[in-house]
């Protein structure tokens, strides 16, 4: 009986539970999105940053031009895969489980978002179209996050959902309000847009750390499993070393060689510029905090992907999209990621399942006895 209960308490929402088409579509969209991030959004900016060195190194221009072209090709592939994956996710979310009002409303908003994306391929959206698109995206995100918070009672997962939602909402608020002011021709500065923008970035970094707290368990040094303890020692040692080195590197280099410290600062500014244009992060917080969030997110996503959990694919897409959703495919990536996160949930225990299954039968037998009497 204990063994059966343990099996019944396993997590559902494995990527293989929804058919091979859904499985390979999600896997391909995650892989293509990651390659598009590296080759297009980051490498193309790096090539622009290294343009001054092109005269001394002739290989720079053709290399980064080829990488940018591959990235632009991947951008179209990601868009097609996102349409397919979102459609399959909406079908599985609406039909595969009992969908409540939040799920149905979110699916309707996601479908409207897809229709708007197709329409804007033929009609120039303009400022009004941008406001409508971002507003629909914000409503869809709100509905799916509300469903996620209602389905998960763990405080860590709720904090993660709230932090990510408020972070992305900071960017969407910045875009919606700024565009409305531009549309109306108002000269005055929009209220609190820059404050929301900076707060949203900080919350996104916090969410990348909370990903580890909510889903990356298993790195405790108190475990009796020697393999897990060894893995935990390596992870925490590397994390503490990198974090400490990044915090004190500038100070130590300035004491050792001020010229070298200045060169390192310029290089870090170049990296910040690349990530600012590629993912929207301005790096106004200490650089070590961003690296800490990247380590926590990377470990957790890799762990969940190896387990075949939909949460791994959802979290991967949500943070690969970045903070600045400059393209429609990035917005769709966020919506798909949150949908996948809502599909990953706990299966009811065997006792609850038997009670639910036997409940109507008992009720019907009592009704028959009453009728016979």
């Amino acid at each position: 009986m204990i063994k059966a209960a343990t099996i019944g308490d396993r997590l559902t929402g494995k990527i293989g539970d929804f058919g091979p088409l859904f499985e390979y579509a999600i896997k391909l969209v995650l892989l293509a999105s990651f390659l598009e991030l590296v080759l297009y959004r980051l490498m193309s900016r790096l090539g622009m940053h290294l343009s001054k060195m092109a005269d001394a190194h002739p290989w720079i221009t053709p290399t980064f031009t080829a990488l940018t072209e591959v990235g632009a090709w991947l951008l179209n592939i990601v868009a097609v895969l996102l349409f397919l994956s979102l459609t399959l996710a909406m079908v599985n979310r609406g039909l595969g489980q009992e969908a409540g009002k939040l799920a149905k409303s979110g699916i309707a908003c996601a479908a409207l978002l897809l229709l708007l994306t197709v329409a804007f391929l033929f009609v120039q959206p303009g400022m009004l179209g941008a406001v409508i698109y971002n507003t629909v995206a914000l409503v869809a995100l709100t509905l799916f996050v509300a469903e996620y918070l209602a389905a998960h009672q763990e405080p860590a997962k709720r904090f993660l959902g709230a932090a990510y939602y408020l972070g992305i909402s900071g960017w969407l608020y910045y875009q919606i309000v700024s565009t409305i002011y531009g549309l109306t021709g108002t000269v005055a500065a929009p209220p609190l847009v820059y404050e929301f923008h900076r707060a949203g970035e900080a919350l996104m970094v916090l969410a990348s750390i909370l990903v580890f707290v909510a889903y990356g368990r298993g790195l405790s040094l108190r475990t009796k499993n020697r393999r897990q303890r060894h893995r935990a020692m390596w992870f925490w040692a590397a994390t503490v070393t990198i974090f400490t080195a990044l915090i004190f590197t500038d100070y130590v280099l300035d004491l050792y060689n001020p010229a070298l410290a200045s060169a390192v600062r310029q290089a870090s500014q170049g990296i910040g510029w690349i990530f600012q244009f590629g993912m929207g992060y301005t790096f106004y917080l200490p650089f070590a905090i961003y690296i800490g969030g990247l380590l926590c997110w990377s470990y957790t996503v890799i762990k969940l992907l190896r387990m075949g959990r939909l949460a791994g694919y959802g979290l991967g897409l949500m943070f690969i999209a970045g903070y600045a959703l400059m393209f429609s495919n990035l917005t769709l990536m966020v919506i798909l990621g949150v949908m996948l996160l809502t599909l990953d949930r706990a299966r009811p225990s065997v006792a609850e399942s038997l009670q639910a299954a036997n409940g109507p039968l008992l009720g019907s037998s009592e009704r028959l006895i009453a009728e016979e009497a």
Side-chain angles (χ1 to χ4, degrees):
M1 180 62 68
I2 296 177
K3 183 177 180 181
T6 304
I7 295 175
D9 289 333
R10 288 185 306 180
L11 289 174
T12 188
K14 299 271 187 174
I15 191 170
D17 294 342
F18 298 91
L21 180 59
F22 179 84
E23 178 181 358
Y24 288 109
I26 298 299
K27 288 181 177 180
L28 285 174
V29 77
L30 179 64
L31 176 61
S33 300
F34 177 75
L35 293 176
E36 180 268 330
L37 167 66
V38 175
L39 297 179
Y40 185 70
R41 280 185 278 160
L42 298 183
M43 281 296 181
S44 61
R45 271 68 179 185
L46 179 61
M48 294 168 62
H49 187 69
L50 297 177
S51 60
K52 298 179 180 179
M53 303 172 58
D55 295 334
H57 303 279
W59 59 269
I60 290 179
T61 300
T63 300
F64 283 94
T65 300
L67 291 175
T68 303
E69 290 178 355
V70 173
W73 178 73
L74 282 171
L75 190 66
N76 298 324
I77 298 298
V78 169
V80 174
L81 290 173
L82 278 171
F83 271 81
L84 174 62
S85 301
L86 263 173
T87 303
L88 293 173
M90 288 188 292
V91 171
N92 282 285
R93 185 63 194 94
L95 302 178
Q97 301 177 7
E98 292 186 6
K101 293 182 179 180
L102 287 175
K104 292 179 180 178
S105 302
I107 291 171
C109 288
L112 178 58
L113 206 61
L114 286 178
L115 293 176
L116 287 174
T117 305
V118 174
F120 290 155
L121 293 176
F122 302 97
V123 180
Q124 189 67 24
M127 288 188 177
L128 180 59
V131 171
I132 295 173
Y133 191 87
N134 287 324
T135 302
V136 174
L138 180 58
V139 173
L141 182 65
T142 303
L143 293 169
F144 284 126
V145 170
E147 183 192 6
Y148 174 80
L149 295 178
H152 294 82
Q153 303 299 322
E154 300 91 333
K157 292 183 179 180
R158 288 192 163 188
F159 282 129
L160 165 63
Y164 183 84
Y165 170 74
L166 293 175
I168 287 293
S169 296
W171 166 260
L172 292 174
Y173 173 83
Y174 170 78
Q175 287 292 306
I176 293 171
V177 176
S178 300
T179 308
I180 290 175
Y181 270 62
L183 182 63
T184 57
T186 306
V187 181
L192 300 176
V193 288
Y194 296 106
E195 289 79 4
F196 272 93
H197 184 277
R198 294 174 74 85
E201 179 177 342
L203 287 168
M204 282 288 291
V205 178
L206 174 62
S208 66
I209 298 173
L210 290 176
V211 165
F212 176 81
V213 180
Y215 289 96
R217 299 170 186 174
L219 285 178
S220 174
L221 296 174
R222 298 180 180 179
T223 179
K224 296 181 179 180
N225 189 307
R226 182 180 300 178
R227 184 176 182 181
Q228 292 183 359
R229 186 168 62 247
H230 183 72
R231 185 187 305 166
M233 291 174 61
W234 274 104
F235 177 82
W236 290 117
T239 301
V240 172
T241 301
I242 294 173
F243 188 84
T244 306
L246 289 172
I247 288 290
F248 295 102
T249 294
D250 186 74
Y251 175 74
V252 173
L253 286 178
D254 196 46
L255 292 177
Y256 174 72
N257 190 338
L260 180 60
S262 178
V264 172
R265 291 192 197 102
Q266 292 180 358
S268 64
Q269 291 175 358
I271 294 174
W273 181 81
I274 293 168
F275 275 86
Q276 180 178 357
F277 282 89
M279 300 187 71
Y281 294 112
T282 61
F283 286 85
Y284 75 93
L285 297 172
F287 186 70
I289 297 178
Y290 293 91
I291 296 298
L294 178 62
L295 289 174
C296 291
W297 171 80
S298 301
Y299 170 82
T300 307
V301 169
I302 292 173
K303 174 186 175 182
L304 293 174
L305 291 180
R306 293 181 62 184
M307 296 170 61
R309 293 271 300 277
L310 277 174
Y313 294 89
L315 292 170
L317 291 171
M318 288 160 59
F319 286 92
I320 285 175
Y323 177 56
L325 308 179
M326 298 298 296
F327 307 112
S328 60
N329 67 310
L330 301 181
T331 304
L332 296 178
M333 204 179 296
V334 168
I335 299 299
L336 176 60
V338 178
M339 288 182 67
L340 295 178
L341 206 59
T342 60
L343 284 170
D344 187 291
R345 58 183 62 192
R347 180 180 298 168
S349 63
V350 172
E352 294 175 353
S353 301
L354 291 175
Q355 183 179 0
N358 294 332
L361 294 177
L362 293 174
S364 60
S365 61
E366 291 174 357
R367 192 183 307 114
L368 289 174
I369 293 174
E371 291 177 355
E372 290 178 358

